[in-house]
Coordinates of all heavy atoms in Angstrom, one line a residue:
M1 N 2.8 5.1 -11.0 CA 3.7 4.8 -9.9 C 3.7 3.2 -9.8 O 2.7 2.6 -9.9 CB 3.3 5.3 -8.7 CG 3.9 4.7 -7.4 SD 3.4 5.5 -5.9 CE 4.7 6.8 -5.9
Q2 N 5.0 2.7 -9.8 CA 5.1 1.1 -9.6 C 5.0 0.9 -8.1 O 5.7 1.5 -7.3 CB 6.4 0.7 -10.1 CG 6.6 0.9 -11.6 CD 5.9 -0.4 -12.4 OE1 5.9 -1.5 -11.7 NE2 5.5 -0.1 -13.5
V3 N 4.2 0.0 -7.8 CA 3.9 -0.6 -6.4 C 4.4 -2.0 -6.4 O 3.9 -2.8 -7.1 CB 2.5 -0.4 -5.9 CG1 2.5 -0.9 -4.5 CG2 2.1 1.0 -5.9
K4 N 5.3 -2.3 -5.5 CA 5.8 -3.8 -5.3 C 4.9 -4.3 -4.3 O 4.6 -3.7 -3.3 CB 7.3 -3.8 -5.0 CG 8.2 -3.4 -6.0 CD 9.6 -3.5 -5.5 CE 10.6 -3.1 -6.7 NZ 12.0 -3.4 -6.3
V5 N 4.3 -5.5 -4.5 CA 3.5 -6.2 -3.6 C 4.2 -7.5 -3.2 O 4.9 -8.1 -4.0 CB 2.0 -6.4 -4.0 CG1 1.4 -5.1 -4.3 CG2 2.0 -7.1 -5.4
F6 N 3.9 -8.0 -2.0 CA 4.5 -9.2 -1.5 C 3.5 -10.1 -1.0 O 2.4 -9.8 -0.7 CB 5.5 -8.7 -0.4 CG 6.7 -8.0 -1.0 CD1 6.5 -6.6 -1.1 CD2 7.8 -8.5 -1.4 CE1 7.5 -5.8 -1.5 CE2 8.8 -7.7 -1.8 CZ 8.7 -6.4 -2.0
A7 N 3.9 -11.5 -1.0 CA 3.4 -12.5 -0.4 C 1.9 -12.8 -1.1 O 1.9 -12.7 -2.3 CB 3.2 -12.4 1.2
N8 N 0.8 -12.9 -0.3 CA -0.5 -13.2 -0.9 C -1.0 -12.2 -1.7 O -1.9 -12.3 -2.5 CB -1.4 -13.7 0.3 CG -1.8 -12.6 1.2 OD1 -0.8 -11.9 1.7 ND2 -3.0 -12.5 1.5
L9 N -0.5 -11.0 -1.5 CA -1.0 -9.7 -2.3 C -0.7 -9.9 -3.7 O -1.3 -9.3 -4.6 CB -0.5 -8.4 -1.8 CG -0.8 -8.2 -0.3 CD1 -0.3 -6.8 0.1 CD2 -2.4 -8.3 0.0
R10 N 0.3 -10.7 -4.1 CA 0.8 -10.9 -5.5 C -0.4 -11.6 -6.2 O -0.6 -11.4 -7.3 CB 2.1 -11.7 -5.5 CG 3.2 -10.8 -5.2 CD 4.5 -11.5 -5.2 NE 5.7 -10.6 -4.9 CZ 6.9 -11.0 -4.7 NH1 7.2 -12.3 -4.7 NH2 7.8 -10.1 -4.5
Q11 N -1.0 -12.5 -5.5 CA -2.2 -13.3 -6.1 C -3.3 -12.4 -6.4 O -3.9 -12.5 -7.4 CB -2.5 -14.5 -5.3 CG -1.4 -15.5 -5.1 CD -1.8 -16.6 -4.2 OE1 -2.6 -16.4 -3.3 NE2 -1.2 -17.8 -4.2
I12 N -3.5 -11.5 -5.4 CA -4.7 -10.6 -5.6 C -4.3 -9.6 -6.7 O -5.3 -9.3 -7.5 CB -5.1 -9.9 -4.2 CG1 -5.4 -10.9 -3.2 CG2 -6.0 -8.7 -4.5 CD1 -5.5 -10.4 -1.8
C13 N -3.2 -9.1 -6.8 CA -2.9 -8.1 -7.7 C -2.4 -8.5 -9.1 O -2.1 -7.8 -9.9 CB -1.9 -7.2 -7.1 SG -2.4 -6.3 -5.7
G14 N -2.2 -9.9 -9.1 CA -1.8 -10.4 -10.4 C -0.3 -10.3 -10.8 O 0.1 -10.4 -12.0
G15 N 0.5 -10.1 -9.9 CA 2.0 -10.1 -10.1 C 2.8 -9.3 -9.0 O 2.3 -9.0 -8.1
V16 N 4.1 -9.1 -9.2 CA 5.0 -8.6 -8.3 C 4.9 -7.1 -8.2 O 5.0 -6.5 -7.2 CB 6.5 -9.0 -8.7 CG1 7.5 -8.3 -7.8 CG2 6.6 -10.5 -8.6
T17 N 4.6 -6.5 -9.3 CA 4.4 -5.1 -9.4 C 3.2 -4.7 -10.1 O 2.6 -5.5 -10.8 CB 5.7 -4.2 -10.1 OG1 5.6 -4.9 -11.5 CG2 7.0 -4.5 -9.5
V18 N 2.6 -3.6 -9.6 CA 1.4 -3.0 -10.1 C 1.6 -1.5 -10.5 O 2.2 -0.8 -9.8 CB 0.2 -3.1 -9.1 CG1 -1.0 -2.5 -9.6 CG2 0.0 -4.5 -8.6
E19 N 1.1 -1.3 -11.7 CA 1.2 0.1 -12.2 C -0.1 0.9 -11.6 O -1.3 0.6 -12.0 CB 1.2 0.3 -13.6 CG 1.4 1.7 -14.2 CD 2.8 2.3 -13.8 OE1 3.8 1.6 -13.9 OE2 2.9 3.6 -13.8
V20 N 0.1 1.9 -10.8 CA -1.0 2.6 -10.2 C -1.0 4.0 -10.5 O 0.2 4.7 -10.4 CB -1.0 2.5 -8.7 CG1 -2.2 3.1 -8.0 CG2 -1.0 1.0 -8.2
F21 N -2.1 4.7 -10.9 CA -2.3 6.1 -11.2 C -3.1 6.7 -10.1 O -4.3 6.9 -10.5 CB -2.7 6.3 -12.6 CG -1.9 5.7 -13.6 CD1 -2.1 4.5 -14.1 CD2 -0.7 6.4 -14.1 CE1 -1.3 3.8 -15.1 CE2 0.2 5.8 -15.0 CZ -0.1 4.6 -15.5
P22 N -2.6 7.1 -8.9 CA -3.4 7.7 -8.0 C -3.9 9.0 -8.2 O -3.5 9.8 -9.1 CB -2.5 7.7 -6.8 CG -1.2 7.8 -7.3 CD -1.2 7.1 -8.6
D23 N -5.0 9.4 -7.5 CA -5.7 10.7 -7.7 C -5.1 11.7 -6.8 O -5.5 12.9 -6.8 CB -7.2 10.5 -7.4 CG -7.9 9.6 -8.4 OD1 -7.4 9.6 -9.6 OD2 -8.8 8.9 -8.0
G24 N -4.0 11.4 -6.1 CA -3.4 12.4 -5.1 C -2.0 11.9 -5.0 O -1.4 11.0 -5.6
D25 N -1.3 12.5 -4.0 CA 0.2 12.3 -3.8 C 0.4 11.7 -2.5 O 1.6 11.9 -2.0 CB 1.0 13.6 -4.0 CG 0.6 14.8 -3.1 OD1 -0.4 14.5 -2.2 OD2 1.3 15.8 -3.1
K26 N -0.6 11.1 -1.8 CA -0.3 10.5 -0.5 C -0.4 9.1 -0.6 O -1.1 8.4 -1.6 CB -1.3 11.0 0.5 CG -1.1 12.6 0.7 CD -2.2 13.1 1.6 CE -2.1 14.6 1.7 NZ -3.1 15.2 2.4
V27 N 0.1 8.3 0.5 CA 0.0 7.0 0.5 C -1.4 6.4 0.4 O -1.7 5.5 -0.3 CB 0.7 6.3 1.7 CG1 0.4 4.9 2.0 CG2 2.2 6.6 1.8
I28 N -2.4 7.0 1.1 CA -3.8 6.6 1.2 C -4.3 6.7 -0.3 O -5.1 5.9 -0.7 CB -4.6 7.4 2.1 CG1 -5.9 6.8 2.2 CG2 -4.7 8.9 1.8 CD1 -6.1 5.5 2.9
D29 N -4.0 7.6 -1.1 CA -4.4 7.8 -2.5 C -4.0 6.5 -3.3 O -4.8 6.1 -4.2 CB -3.9 9.1 -3.1 CG -4.3 10.3 -2.4 OD1 -5.4 10.4 -1.9 OD2 -3.6 11.3 -2.3
V30 N -2.7 6.1 -3.1 CA -2.3 5.0 -3.8 C -3.1 3.7 -3.5 O -3.6 2.9 -4.2 CB -0.8 4.7 -3.7 CG1 -0.3 3.4 -4.3 CG2 0.0 5.9 -4.2
L31 N -3.3 3.6 -2.2 CA -3.9 2.4 -1.7 C -5.4 2.3 -2.1 O -6.0 1.3 -2.4 CB -3.8 2.3 0.0 CG -2.3 2.1 0.4 CD1 -2.3 2.0 1.9 CD2 -1.8 0.7 -0.1
E32 N -6.0 3.6 -2.1 CA -7.4 3.6 -2.4 C -7.7 3.3 -3.9 O -8.5 2.5 -4.3 CB -8.0 5.0 -2.2 CG -8.1 5.3 -0.8 CD -9.3 4.6 -0.1 OE1 -10.1 4.0 -0.6 OE2 -9.5 4.8 1.2
K33 N -6.7 3.7 -4.7 CA -6.7 3.4 -6.2 C -6.5 1.9 -6.3 O -7.1 1.1 -7.1 CB -5.6 4.1 -6.9 CG -5.6 3.9 -8.4 CD -6.9 4.3 -9.1 CE -7.0 5.8 -9.2 NZ -8.1 6.2 -10.1
M34 N -5.6 1.3 -5.5 CA -5.3 -0.2 -5.7 C -6.5 -1.0 -5.3 O -7.0 -2.0 -5.9 CB -4.1 -0.5 -4.9 CG -2.8 -0.2 -5.4 SD -1.5 -0.6 -4.5 CE -1.5 -2.5 -4.8
V35 N -7.2 -0.5 -4.2 CA -8.5 -1.2 -3.8 C -9.6 -1.1 -5.0 O -10.3 -2.1 -5.2 CB -9.1 -0.6 -2.5 CG1 -10.5 -1.0 -2.1 CG2 -8.1 -1.0 -1.3
N36 N -9.6 0.0 -5.6 CA -10.5 0.2 -6.8 C -10.3 -0.8 -7.8 O -11.1 -1.3 -8.4 CB -10.5 1.6 -7.4 CG -11.2 2.6 -6.4 OD1 -12.0 2.2 -5.6 ND2 -10.9 3.9 -6.6
M37 N -8.9 -1.1 -8.1 CA -8.5 -2.0 -9.1 C -8.6 -3.4 -8.8 O -8.8 -4.2 -9.5 CB -7.0 -1.6 -9.3 CG -6.7 -0.2 -10.1 SD -4.9 0.1 -9.9 CE -4.1 -1.1 -10.9
F38 N -8.4 -3.7 -7.4 CA -8.4 -5.0 -6.9 C -9.2 -5.1 -5.6 O -8.6 -5.0 -4.5 CB -7.1 -5.4 -6.6 CG -6.0 -5.4 -7.7 CD1 -5.0 -4.3 -7.8 CD2 -6.1 -6.2 -8.9 CE1 -4.2 -4.1 -8.8 CE2 -5.2 -6.1 -9.9 CZ -4.3 -5.0 -9.8
P39 N -10.6 -5.2 -5.7 CA -11.5 -5.1 -4.6 C -11.1 -6.0 -3.4 O -11.2 -5.6 -2.2 CB -12.9 -5.3 -5.1 CG -12.8 -4.8 -6.5 CD -11.3 -5.1 -7.0
P40 N -10.7 -7.2 -3.7 CA -10.3 -8.1 -2.5 C -9.1 -7.6 -1.7 O -8.9 -8.0 -0.5 CB -9.8 -9.5 -3.3 CG -10.5 -9.4 -4.5 CD -10.6 -8.0 -5.0
L41 N -8.4 -6.7 -2.1 CA -7.3 -6.1 -1.5 C -7.8 -5.4 -0.2 O -7.1 -5.4 0.8 CB -6.5 -5.2 -2.4 CG -5.2 -4.7 -1.9 CD1 -4.2 -5.7 -1.7 CD2 -4.6 -3.6 -2.8
E42 N -8.9 -4.8 -0.2 CA -9.4 -4.0 0.9 C -9.5 -4.8 2.1 O -9.1 -4.3 3.1 CB -10.9 -3.4 0.5 CG -11.4 -2.5 1.6 CD -12.6 -1.9 1.1 OE1 -13.3 -2.3 0.2 OE2 -13.0 -0.9 1.8
E43 N -10.0 -6.0 2.2 CA -10.2 -6.8 3.2 C -8.8 -7.2 3.9 O -8.6 -7.5 5.1 CB -10.8 -8.1 2.9 CG -11.2 -8.9 4.2 CD -12.1 -10.2 3.8 OE1 -13.0 -10.0 3.0 OE2 -11.6 -11.3 4.1
E44 N -7.8 -7.4 3.0 CA -6.4 -7.8 3.4 C -5.6 -6.5 4.1 O -4.9 -6.8 4.9 CB -5.7 -8.2 2.2 CG -6.1 -9.3 1.5 CD -6.1 -10.6 2.4 OE1 -5.1 -10.7 3.1 OE2 -7.1 -11.5 2.3
I45 N -5.9 -5.4 3.7 CA -5.1 -4.3 4.2 C -5.8 -3.3 5.1 O -5.0 -2.6 5.8 CB -4.3 -3.5 3.1 CG1 -5.3 -2.7 2.2 CG2 -3.6 -4.6 2.2 CD1 -4.6 -1.9 1.2
F46 N -7.0 -3.0 5.0 CA -7.7 -2.0 5.8 C -8.7 -2.5 6.9 O -9.2 -3.6 6.7 CB -8.5 -1.2 4.9 CG -7.8 -0.1 4.0 CD1 -8.1 0.0 2.6 CD2 -7.0 0.8 4.6 CE1 -7.4 0.8 1.9 CE2 -6.3 1.7 3.9 CZ -6.5 1.8 2.5
T47 N -8.6 -1.8 8.0 CA -9.7 -2.0 9.0 C -10.9 -1.3 8.6 O -10.9 -0.6 7.6 CB -9.2 -1.4 10.3 OG1 -9.0 0.0 10.2 CG2 -7.8 -2.0 10.8
E48 N -12.0 -1.5 9.3 CA -13.3 -0.8 9.1 C -13.2 0.7 9.0 O -13.9 1.4 8.4 CB -14.3 -1.3 10.0 CG -14.8 -2.7 9.7 CD -16.0 -3.1 10.6 OE1 -16.6 -2.2 11.2 OE2 -16.2 -4.2 10.6
D49 N -12.3 1.2 9.9 CA -12.2 2.8 9.9 C -11.0 3.2 9.0 O -10.5 4.4 9.2 CB -11.9 3.2 11.4 CG -10.6 2.6 12.1 OD1 -10.1 1.6 11.5 OD2 -10.3 3.2 13.1
R50 N -10.7 2.4 8.1 CA -9.7 2.9 6.9 C -8.3 3.1 7.5 O -7.6 4.0 6.8 CB -10.3 4.2 6.2 CG -11.0 4.1 5.0 CD -10.9 2.8 4.4 NE -10.9 2.9 2.8 CZ -11.2 1.8 2.2 NH1 -11.5 0.7 2.7 NH2 -11.3 1.9 0.8
Q51 N -7.9 2.4 8.5 CA -6.5 2.3 8.9 C -6.0 1.1 8.3 O -6.5 0.2 8.0 CB -6.4 2.4 10.4 CG -7.0 3.8 11.0 CD -6.3 5.0 10.4 OE1 -5.1 5.0 10.5 NE2 -7.0 6.0 10.0
L52 N -4.6 1.1 8.3 CA -3.9 -0.2 7.9 C -4.1 -1.3 9.0 O -4.1 -0.9 10.3 CB -2.4 0.1 7.7 CG -2.0 0.8 6.5 CD1 -0.5 0.9 6.4 CD2 -2.5 0.1 5.2
K53 N -4.3 -2.4 8.7 CA -4.4 -3.6 9.6 C -3.1 -3.7 10.2 O -2.1 -3.3 9.7 CB -4.8 -4.8 8.9 CG -6.4 -4.9 8.5 CD -6.7 -6.2 8.0 CE -8.2 -6.4 7.9 NZ -8.6 -7.7 7.5
P54 N -3.1 -4.2 11.6 CA -1.9 -4.5 12.3 C -1.0 -5.4 11.4 O -1.4 -6.3 10.8 CB -2.3 -5.2 13.5 CG -3.8 -4.8 13.6 CD -4.3 -4.7 12.3
F55 N 0.2 -5.1 11.4 CA 1.3 -5.8 10.6 C 1.3 -5.7 9.2 O 2.1 -6.3 8.4 CB 1.2 -7.4 11.0 CG 1.3 -7.6 12.5 CD1 0.2 -8.1 13.2 CD2 2.4 -7.3 13.2 CE1 0.2 -8.2 14.7 CE2 2.5 -7.6 14.5 CZ 1.4 -8.0 15.2
V56 N 0.3 -4.9 8.6 CA 0.5 -4.5 7.2 C 1.5 -3.4 7.2 O 1.3 -2.4 7.9 CB -0.9 -4.0 6.6 CG1 -0.8 -3.4 5.3 CG2 -1.8 -5.2 6.6
H57 N 2.4 -3.3 6.3 CA 3.5 -2.2 6.4 C 3.5 -1.7 4.8 O 3.5 -2.5 3.9 CB 4.8 -2.8 6.7 CG 4.8 -3.2 8.2 ND1 4.9 -2.3 9.2 CD2 4.7 -4.5 8.7 CE1 4.8 -3.1 10.3 NE2 4.8 -4.4 10.0
V58 N 3.8 -0.3 4.8 CA 4.1 0.2 3.6 C 5.4 0.9 3.8 O 5.6 1.7 4.9 CB 3.0 1.3 3.3 CG1 3.3 2.2 2.1 CG2 1.6 0.6 3.1
Y59 N 6.2 0.8 2.7 CA 7.5 1.5 2.8 C 7.6 2.3 1.6 O 7.4 1.9 0.5 CB 8.7 0.4 2.8 CG 8.8 -0.4 3.9 CD1 8.0 -1.6 4.3 CD2 9.8 -0.1 4.9 CE1 8.1 -2.2 5.4 CE2 9.9 -0.8 6.1 CZ 9.0 -1.9 6.3 OH 9.2 -2.6 7.5
I60 N 8.2 3.5 1.9 CA 8.4 4.5 0.7 C 9.9 4.6 0.8 O 10.6 5.1 1.7 CB 7.7 5.8 1.0 CG1 6.2 5.6 1.1 CG2 8.1 6.8 -0.3 CD1 5.5 5.1 -0.2
N61 N 10.6 4.3 -0.3 CA 12.0 4.4 -0.5 C 12.7 3.7 0.8 O 13.7 4.2 1.3 CB 12.5 5.8 -0.4 CG 11.9 6.6 -1.7 OD1 11.8 5.9 -2.9 ND2 11.6 7.9 -1.6
G62 N 12.2 2.5 1.1 CA 12.8 1.8 2.2 C 12.5 2.2 3.6 O 13.0 1.6 4.5
R63 N 11.6 3.2 3.8 CA 11.3 3.7 5.2 C 9.8 3.5 5.4 O 8.9 3.9 4.6 CB 11.6 5.2 5.2 CG 11.3 5.8 6.5 CD 11.8 7.2 6.6 NE 11.6 7.7 7.9 CZ 11.5 8.8 8.4 NH1 11.8 9.8 7.5 NH2 11.3 9.2 9.5
N64 N 9.6 2.8 6.5 CA 8.2 2.6 6.9 C 7.4 3.9 7.2 O 8.0 4.7 7.9 CB 8.3 1.6 8.2 CG 6.8 1.1 8.5 OD1 5.7 1.7 8.4 ND2 6.9 -0.1 8.9
I65 N 6.2 4.0 6.6 CA 5.5 5.2 6.8 C 5.1 5.5 8.2 O 4.7 6.6 8.5 CB 4.2 5.2 5.9 CG1 3.3 4.0 6.3 CG2 4.6 5.2 4.4 CD1 1.9 4.1 5.6
I66 N 5.1 4.5 9.1 CA 4.8 4.8 10.4 C 5.9 5.8 11.0 O 5.6 6.4 12.1 CB 4.7 3.6 11.4 CG1 6.0 2.8 11.5 CG2 3.6 2.7 10.9 CD1 5.9 1.6 12.4
H67 N 7.0 5.9 10.4 CA 8.0 6.8 10.9 C 7.9 8.2 10.3 O 8.8 9.1 10.4 CB 9.4 6.2 10.7 CG 9.6 4.9 11.4 ND1 9.6 4.8 12.8 CD2 9.8 3.7 11.0 CE1 9.7 3.6 13.2 NE2 9.9 2.9 12.1
A68 N 6.9 8.2 9.3 CA 6.7 9.5 8.5 C 5.3 10.0 9.0 O 5.0 10.2 10.2 CB 6.7 9.4 7.2
E69 N 4.3 10.2 8.1 CA 3.0 10.8 8.4 C 1.9 9.7 8.1 O 0.9 10.0 7.8 CB 2.8 11.9 7.5 CG 3.6 13.1 7.9 CD 3.4 14.4 7.1 OE1 2.2 14.7 7.0 OE2 4.3 14.9 6.5
N70 N 2.4 8.3 8.2 CA 1.5 7.2 8.0 C 0.8 7.3 6.8 O 1.5 7.6 5.7 CB 0.5 7.2 9.3 CG 0.3 5.7 9.6 OD1 0.4 4.7 8.7 ND2 -0.3 5.4 10.8
L71 N -0.5 7.2 6.7 CA -1.2 7.1 5.4 C -1.3 8.5 4.7 O -1.5 8.6 3.6 CB -2.7 6.7 5.6 CG -2.9 5.2 6.1 CD1 -4.3 4.9 6.3 CD2 -2.3 4.3 5.0
Q72 N -0.9 9.5 5.5 CA -0.9 10.9 4.9 C 0.5 11.2 4.4 O 0.8 12.4 3.9 CB -1.3 12.0 5.9 CG -2.8 11.8 6.4 CD -3.8 11.7 5.2 OE1 -3.7 12.6 4.4 NE2 -4.7 10.8 5.2
T73 N 1.4 10.3 4.4 CA 2.7 10.5 3.9 C 2.7 10.9 2.3 O 2.1 10.2 1.6 CB 3.7 9.3 4.0 OG1 3.7 8.9 5.4 CG2 5.1 9.5 3.5
K74 N 3.3 12.0 2.0 CA 3.4 12.4 0.7 C 4.5 11.6 -0.1 O 5.5 11.3 0.5 CB 3.5 13.9 0.5 CG 2.4 14.6 1.0 CD 2.5 16.0 0.6 CE 1.3 16.8 0.9 NZ 1.2 18.2 0.4
M75 N 4.3 11.5 -1.4 CA 5.2 10.8 -2.3 C 5.4 11.5 -3.6 O 4.5 12.4 -3.9 CB 4.7 9.3 -2.6 CG 4.4 8.6 -1.4 SD 3.2 7.3 -1.9 CE 2.2 8.0 -3.1
T76 N 6.4 10.9 -4.4 CA 6.4 11.5 -5.8 C 6.3 10.2 -6.6 O 6.5 9.1 -6.1 CB 7.8 12.1 -6.1 OG1 8.8 11.1 -6.0 CG2 8.1 13.4 -5.2
E77 N 6.1 10.4 -8.0 CA 5.9 9.4 -8.9 C 7.3 8.5 -8.9 O 7.2 7.3 -9.3 CB 5.7 9.9 -10.3 CG 5.4 8.8 -11.3 CD 5.0 9.4 -12.7 OE1 4.3 10.4 -12.7 OE2 5.4 8.8 -13.6
N78 N 8.4 9.0 -8.5 CA 9.7 8.3 -8.7 C 10.0 7.5 -7.3 O 10.9 6.8 -7.3 CB 10.8 9.2 -9.0 CG 10.7 9.8 -10.4 OD1 10.1 9.1 -11.4 ND2 11.0 11.1 -10.6
D79 N 9.2 7.6 -6.3 CA 9.5 7.0 -5.1 C 9.3 5.6 -5.3 O 8.4 5.1 -6.1 CB 8.5 7.7 -3.9 CG 8.9 8.9 -3.5 OD1 10.2 9.3 -3.7 OD2 8.1 9.5 -2.9
Q80 N 10.0 4.8 -4.5 CA 9.7 3.3 -4.4 C 8.7 2.9 -3.4 O 8.8 3.3 -2.2 CB 11.0 2.6 -4.2 CG 12.1 2.7 -5.3 CD 13.4 2.0 -4.9 OE1 13.6 1.6 -3.7 NE2 14.2 2.0 -5.8
F81 N 7.6 2.4 -3.8 CA 6.5 2.1 -2.9 C 6.4 0.5 -2.7 O 6.3 -0.2 -3.7 CB 5.2 2.6 -3.7 CG 4.0 2.6 -2.8 CD1 3.3 3.7 -2.3 CD2 3.4 1.3 -2.3 CE1 2.2 3.8 -1.7 CE2 2.2 1.4 -1.5 CZ 1.6 2.7 -1.2
A82 N 6.4 0.0 -1.6 CA 6.4 -1.4 -1.2 C 5.3 -1.6 -0.2 O 5.1 -1.0 0.7 CB 7.7 -2.0 -0.8
L83 N 4.4 -2.7 -0.5 CA 3.3 -3.0 0.3 C 3.4 -4.5 0.8 O 3.5 -5.4 0.0 CB 2.0 -2.9 -0.5 CG 0.7 -3.3 0.2 CD1 0.5 -2.4 1.5 CD2 -0.5 -3.2 -0.8
F84 N 3.5 -4.6 2.2 CA 3.7 -5.9 2.7 C 2.6 -6.3 3.5 O 2.2 -5.6 4.4 CB 4.9 -6.0 3.6 CG 6.2 -5.9 2.9 CD1 6.8 -4.5 2.7 CD2 7.0 -6.8 2.6 CE1 8.0 -4.3 2.1 CE2 8.2 -6.7 1.9 CZ 8.7 -5.5 1.7
P85 N 1.9 -7.5 3.3 CA 0.8 -8.0 4.2 C 1.3 -8.5 5.4 O 2.6 -8.8 5.6 CB 0.2 -9.0 3.3 CG 1.3 -9.6 2.5 CD 2.2 -8.4 2.3
P86 N 0.5 -8.9 6.4 CA 0.8 -9.7 7.5 C 1.4 -11.0 7.1 O 0.7 -11.7 6.2 CB -0.4 -9.9 8.4 CG -1.4 -9.0 7.8 CD -1.0 -8.7 6.4
V87 N 2.5 -11.5 7.6 CA 3.0 -12.8 7.3 C 3.3 -13.7 8.5 O 3.9 -13.1 9.4 CB 4.3 -12.6 6.4 CG1 4.9 -14.1 6.0 CG2 4.1 -11.8 5.2
A88 N 2.6 -14.8 8.5 CA 2.9 -15.7 9.7 C 4.0 -16.7 9.3 O 4.3 -17.0 8.1 CB 1.7 -16.4 9.9
G89 N 4.7 -17.2 10.3 CA 5.6 -18.3 10.0 C 6.5 -18.4 11.1 O 6.3 -17.8 12.2
G90 N 7.4 -19.3 11.0 CA 8.4 -19.5 12.1 C 9.5 -20.2 11.9 O 9.9 -20.6 10.8

């Protein structure tokens, strides 16, 4: 599955897209695999209780997972997965 990453996550992941082969079909499975691939990612996206940090957003096919089943949202290999970190600015 291709995951598009944005802002400072591109530096951590080494590019705009990352090829991820999750062990399951849920958003959490993709994110866990990405943390295994890029350990510094964990601090950027997860709280201590394994929830997404505030203002970290995951979109599947353009839809925020908070409007679905959050980290338990199921996906297929052909879905478009986008990961956005918190971004400050003004």
